[in-house]
Amino acid sequence: MDQHRTASRPTAGQRALAEALARGEAALGSGIERLDAARYTDASRFRAEQKAIFERIPLLIAPSALLPAPNMAVAHDHYGLPLIVTRDAAGQAHIFANVCRHRGTRLVESHDVVGAKRIVCPYHAWAYKPDGELTGLPRADCFPGLDKAAHGLVSYPCVEAGGLIWFARDGSADFSDAVALAPDLDAFALDRQHVYRRQTHEVTANWKLIIDAFLESYHVQRLHAGTIAPFFADGITAADTIGIHQRAVVGRSDYLATVDRDDWSALRHAVTYTYQLFPASVVIVSPDYINLLIAMPQTVDRTLVEDIMLISEAPKTPEAEAHWQRSWDLLDGGTFAAEDFRAAALAQQGLRSGAVKELLLGTLEHGLADFHAKVDAAIQVAE
């Protein structure tokens, strides 16, 4: 099944960006901007970001496709909390603490997706439904008067929209910007994709250095000269925002000018859409696959980045498997790990030295300035 056949048409915003790209209109800043280098290296700044952003606003945790059927679960630890992402018998997604309500034992041990008609504690066999309900415990007579309804799994706010699952630690978190992305992501049939591969990379860099790489095209012809550079024009990016998130489109404007922009399938093959989901995730929609990158800060100079590749359906032939494996190797091991993540780690090394006090942003790097302004604003609101 061709994934483009399942989508209907571009949203008005998606089409407008493609039109701007076809006209060769780059999203440019007005001049040189500067960033304080300490924002990448200062431990107190990192703690402020954790408190103001990662402990307060919605965070992307997984694509819907990771749990493609009811009664499934997967453990998730990389946001500093022991979590379980589940899909219950009715198909609804949930986020729970991966902690038994009896004696605090970890429930789901593996980070692989597992069947979960019941989630059973390995210590004393307390059992929970994937909707969090405590359904049974051995020797219930030993817990006289226990209200099972009050001892379900500890839950966190969770929203599933546009083929993505979001969660928040803060019970009052506003998910409206996440929901606003849904029409664009639905146009790519994101909720009907298949998870081909997922890999978590440890990158010795501040989380913002990783995100920076996906907010400008200035580096593409240089850093990616041996991988994806031939597919893109130098420095031509059309961009705008959806709420707090950034949306951009890149490609070759000369080729795009010959494409019928009302033909969604043809347009998808002509350009690459990229969404920077604030604070620390990126969706890259290539012509025939989608990469989802989720950056999860661990320390000021260490970040875990999960790369998930989504395709329209599971490979059915050796030839299809070989095709998708080549794409995965090109992106995950080549473009991302060997180039983008390596560049972030090298930048961290240089900034850690203290040799430079500020970073310069040219007119092709305006997206970085916008992103860092939003980080600063979030910290100011929390103070």
Side-chain angles (χ1 to χ4, degrees):
M1 181 178 64
D2 180 0
Q3 77 176 21
H4 309 306
R5 193 176 63 189
T6 66
S8 53
R9 58 192 309 164
T11 65
Q14 288 168 335
R15 194 183 193 285
L17 286 185
E19 293 286 358
L21 186 67
R23 295 190 297 268
E25 297 175 3
L28 299 175
S30 58
I32 293 175
E33 300 188 57
R34 291 171 167 80
L35 294 176
D36 181 358
R39 68 178 56 235
Y40 298 101
T41 60
D42 183 72
S44 62
R45 165 72 185 217
F46 176 80
R47 290 191 295 271
E49 292 168 352
Q50 289 292 299
K51 182 177 180 180
I53 299 173
F54 290 89
E55 294 181 9
R56 295 186 63 175
I57 73 170
L59 304 172
L60 182 60
I61 196 165
S64 300
L66 187 60
L67 302 175
N71 295 321
M72 303 186 81
V74 63
H76 191 288
D77 296 287
H78 298 330
Y79 280 125
L81 293 171
L83 300 174
I84 314 173
V85 188
T86 74
R87 191 175 299 286
D88 66 23
Q92 182 176 348
H94 303 268
I95 308 292
F96 299 113
N98 193 3
V99 178
C100 181
R101 292 297 302 274
H102 172 214
R103 297 261 295 275
T105 304
R106 181 180 177 90
L107 296 168
V108 179
E109 298 179 67
S110 173
H111 290 93
D112 295 329
V113 177
V114 296
K117 288 185 177 180
R118 291 199 315 159
I119 299 170
V120 181
C121 177
Y123 198 172
H124 298 94
W126 284 37
Y128 304 86
K129 289 183 180 179
D131 64 3
E133 178 188 350
L134 175 62
T135 59
L137 59 155
R139 292 297 306 272
D141 58 297
C142 295
F143 296 86
L146 178 71
D147 181 4
K148 288 199 300 184
H151 288 79
L153 296 177
V154 174
S155 65
Y156 292 90
C158 173
V159 165
E160 183 172 19
L164 298 176
I165 301 172
W166 302 75
F167 99 105
R169 302 185 191 205
D170 189 336
S172 62
D174 181 1
F175 286 85
S176 59
D177 280 339
V179 173
L181 292 163
D184 266 44
L185 301 179
D186 286 341
F188 302 121
L190 189 66
D191 63 332
R192 298 194 291 277
Q193 302 300 298
H194 167 76
V195 174
Y196 175 68
R197 291 280 192 278
R198 49 195 286 252
Q199 173 72 29
T200 298
H201 300 263
E202 182 173 353
V203 184
T204 53
N206 183 270
W207 68 277
K208 298 184 298 299
L209 283 172
I210 296 164
I211 298 303
D212 287 350
F214 298 94
L215 292 171
E216 49 89 359
S217 60
Y218 177 44
H219 73 282
V220 172
Q221 294 297 318
R222 271 62 65 177
L223 180 64
H224 300 312
T227 53
I228 62 172
F231 301 108
F232 303 105
D234 190 13
I236 302 296
T237 302
D240 63 3
T241 59
I242 300 176
I244 201 170
H245 312 296
Q246 292 194 43
R247 171 177 58 184
V249 61
V250 296
R252 299 196 63 89
S253 54
D254 53 350
Y255 172 55
L256 181 58
T258 68
V259 171
D260 179 1
R261 266 87 72 189
D262 288 321
D263 184 337
W264 188 216
S265 179
L267 185 59
R268 285 287 316 280
H269 280 89
V271 299
T272 295
Y273 286 90
T274 299
Y275 295 78
Q276 193 275 311
L277 310 184
F278 193 84
S281 298
V282 179
V283 178
I284 305 169
V285 186
S286 299
D288 59 351
Y289 53 85
I290 299 171
N291 279 91
L292 176 59
L293 298 172
I294 306 174
M296 296 159 286
Q298 306 297 300
T299 65
V300 67
D301 58 3
R302 176 174 169 265
T303 306
L304 298 178
V305 186
E306 185 173 20
D307 177 23
I308 303 171
M309 183 173 171
L310 303 170
I311 61 177
S312 61
E313 61 182 358
K316 294 181 177 179
T317 66
E319 292 77 15
E321 172 62 34
H323 167 77
W324 293 120
Q325 185 64 51
R326 286 192 298 272
S327 297
W328 172 256
D329 292 341
L330 172 70
L331 270 295
D332 183 75
T335 306
F336 298 148
E339 296 171 353
D340 289 315
F341 301 162
R342 174 176 173 270
L346 291 174
Q348 189 73 37
Q349 291 176 27
L351 294 173
R352 189 187 300 122
S353 74
V356 295
K357 303 302 180 184
E358 64 179 14
L359 285 68
L360 299 180
L361 303 180
T363 58
L364 290 174
E365 299 163 297
H366 176 68
L368 276 73
D370 179 74
F371 165 67
H372 286 276
K374 290 172 180 173
V375 173
D376 293 346
I379 293 174
Q380 291 169 4
V381 168
E383 290 177 344

